[in-house]
Amino acid sequence: MTINKEIEFNNIINDILKNEKFIELKYEIHHGISRLDHSLNVARLTYLTCKKLNVKNYEDITRAALLHDFFKKEEIEKNSFINHPLKAAENSKKNFEVSKMQENIIAAHMFPVTKVFPKYVGSWIVSISDKVVAVKECAKYKVPLTIGAAFLFCMNMFFIQR
Ligand SMILES: [Fe+2]
Ligand SMILES: [Fe+2]
């Protein structure tokens, strides 16, 4: 990322990174790294994709990308794989100003695993960025890329059929 983009990216998400609740994601494990780092990876890829595609709401979309996994494991009783997007949306609304679009971005990011449909361009960008980042993170932690991709594909197919 160029320095100018790095500065803009930081300005967009700065206040979220100062939030006490959000900082706790540093201690949650996600794909072998902290959930905070995973969220930053997804926000960064989302920001760069929006810039490349000239998406006008890129600031709101980048913020929603950072918030997409804003939950703690202990907050979800069962099936965290399916239920965490709604919890993340709820936590985001409690701690930040969240628009209808941002709420959909967060709640729909696990589509098609979850039933919430991605209604906006930003929802699709974040959902795809999350999957790309997840596969890369798994690959980094010794899960080969193809197995990671195959795993995500199988999980999606499994849930689509239900
Ligand atoms: Fe997620
Ligand atoms: Fe994620």
Side-chain angles (χ1 to χ4, degrees):
M1 214 188 303
T2 61
I3 291 186
N4 281 350
K5 281 194 175 133
E6 193 72 58
I7 292 169
E8 187 183 36
F9 176 70
N10 285 330
N11 284 338
I12 292 169
I13 60 169
N14 204 16
D15 64 298
I16 299 176
L17 295 180
K18 285 181 189 156
N19 180 284
E20 268 177 37
K21 270 255 165 224
F22 192 79
I23 290 171
E24 288 174 17
L25 298 188
K26 214 176 186 170
Y27 307 105
E28 297 276 314
I29 301 297
H30 205 96
H31 308 146
I33 57 174
S34 78
R35 187 164 301 131
L36 181 63
D37 286 336
H38 162 73
S39 303
L40 276 167
N41 288 339
V42 175
R44 194 170 278 119
L45 180 59
T46 295
Y47 169 76
L48 290 173
T49 307
C50 286
K51 281 288 192 179
K52 199 161 249 176
L53 300 177
N54 263 322
V55 178
K56 67 173 177 168
N57 294 334
Y58 69 94
E59 290 166 327
D60 292 346
I61 298 168
T62 301
R63 287 174 68 83
L66 185 61
L67 295 169
H68 82 282
D69 276 334
F70 186 15
F71 71 98
K72 295 206 317 194
K73 207 162 183 146
E74 69 202 28
E75 291 175 323
I76 296 169
E77 278 166 23
K78 54 178 186 176
N79 259 339
S80 69
F81 191 69
I82 298 172
N83 294 328
H84 78 269
L86 289 179
K87 191 74 204 175
E90 187 189 315
N91 286 341
S92 300
K93 285 199 281 184
K94 258 188 219 160
N95 288 276
F96 305 98
E97 249 180 57
V98 171
S99 67
K100 282 276 161 225
M101 177 190 73
Q102 288 174 314
E103 188 178 348
N104 180 258
I105 289 174
I106 299 165
H109 82 266
M110 289 295 282
F111 182 82
V113 172
T114 45
K115 305 273 177 279
V116 183
F117 189 79
K119 284 196 276 188
Y120 305 87
V121 175
S123 311
W124 285 99
I125 292 174
V126 173
S127 182
I128 292 166
S129 297
D130 184 41
K131 289 165 181 73
V132 170
V133 165
V135 170
K136 273 193 196 161
E137 287 168 350
C138 289
K140 219 176 184 178
Y141 289 88
K142 313 287 184 232
V143 182
L145 209 63
T146 43
I147 295 178
F151 172 72
L152 283 175
F153 180 77
C154 291
M155 288 307 284
N156 284 352
M157 289 313 289
F158 173 74
F159 285 105
I160 283 172
Q161 282 162 16
R162 294 172 100 205

